[in-house]
Amino acid sequence: AIASGIVGAAAVSAAPRKLYNLHMGLNLDFNLVFGGPVAAFDLAALCCGVGAVLLILQQADARPPDPEWHVEATVGTTPVLSRRSPASSGRPGRSGSWRRGIEVILFGAIIAAFEGALFVFVFSWSPLLLGGWPGLGPHLGLVFSLFMLCCAGGSFCFKTLSEIWSPAKLLFPILAVAFSSLFAAAYAARVNCMPAVLVAFLLFELSVGMYFPCTSALKSDVVPDQKRALIYSLYRVPLNGFALGVLLGVPSQTSALALCGAVLCVVAVWAVLMPSKLAQRMAD
């Protein structure tokens, strides 16, 4: 991902723009553009095609997993399998089911807020930077590489910090870095301080790199095994609704980032309470 930004920027600079007019008849005329500003997208389409072929080849040799076994731990790169016990696949008692349901809903609100803010960021960062820093246009690929570098650094930070604190205790600091950086970016953009906007975006990408491994670890504790696929799919509904609502309903990128920061502040309240709630449920 870090190298892709550099390669994309080089492709945009090196590949000439070519325009092809296609006449299909019945008033179906359209243009195809290759190279130039869209050269990076041409390379991305090629990579997607190669990945699809590799995926098809891997699925041909894949075997369905045995439902009686699950990965209990990982030693190096080798998974350690254990057989599921009948008690581990049973349903929770009625006294704890409603509490588990509330945890699932509130955890889904955190996912919708953060990943929705990430979608808004993806659509907002380049026009926001170019609006106040036009000379940055030829170097957007390098900026993207910096984003990916910070994201990788965030994953390394989470790996280091998770040896000291549990993922539930790390979730609030991650959200705090995210909404603080979005607020800082929105304010810096209003006062037209583009270097500060770029620094705030890098901090947000750092929080993104910490967020995904953190929530992946928490999902196994919050979401029941029997309904995991269904709940993960349902999580996408408010996520996409929030992202579309902000992108279509908020007129400016600065206001959109500030709104996403405010929503992250709200859901961060549950992140503060999550460690004690999970510990209480595990004790029960």
Side-chain angles (χ1 to χ4, degrees), residues 60-241:
D61 298 332
R63 294 181 299 174
D66 190 346
E68 295 185 358
W69 294 85
H70 72 286
V71 179
E72 183 178 15
T74 302
V75 178
T77 59
T78 304
V80 178
L81 301 179
S82 64
R83 187 181 295 274
R84 297 183 184 272
S85 62
S88 64
S89 60
R91 296 182 178 179
R94 290 186 177 180
S95 60
S97 60
W98 65 271
R99 191 181 307 168
R100 187 73 174 268
I102 293 176
E103 291 178 0
V104 170
I105 293 173
L106 293 177
F107 189 67
I110 294 176
I111 292 177
F114 192 98
E115 298 184 23
L118 177 59
F119 286 165
V120 174
F121 167 80
V122 168
F123 280 92
S124 303
W125 72 267
S126 55
L128 193 61
L129 288 176
L130 291 178
W133 201 346
L136 196 64
H139 309 291
L140 289 181
L142 298 179
V143 174
F144 177 80
S145 296
L146 288 176
F147 288 165
M148 295 299 100
L149 183 62
C150 289
C151 189
S155 299
F156 178 78
C157 289
F158 174 79
K159 180 181 179 181
T160 303
L161 294 175
S162 61
E163 298 175 357
I164 306 173
W165 296 288
S166 65
K169 292 183 178 179
L170 289 174
L171 183 58
F172 175 75
I174 294 172
L175 295 178
V177 173
F179 67 68
S180 299
S181 60
L182 291 178
F183 283 143
Y187 176 77
R190 288 186 182 275
V191 299
N192 202 29
C193 184
M194 290 300 112
V197 174
L198 180 58
V199 172
F201 284 167
L202 294 176
L203 288 176
F204 179 73
E205 285 290 340
L206 182 71
S207 70
V208 171
M210 299 179 67
Y211 163 83
F212 282 104
C214 181
T215 53
S216 297
L218 286 172
K219 283 178 181 178
S220 60
D221 294 331
V222 176
V223 180
D225 291 340
Q226 302 84 359
K227 302 178 180 179
R228 185 162 294 174
L230 173 62
I231 293 175
Y232 287 177
S233 299
L234 292 177
Y235 279 168
R236 312 300 298 181
V237 177
L239 189 161
N240 294 327

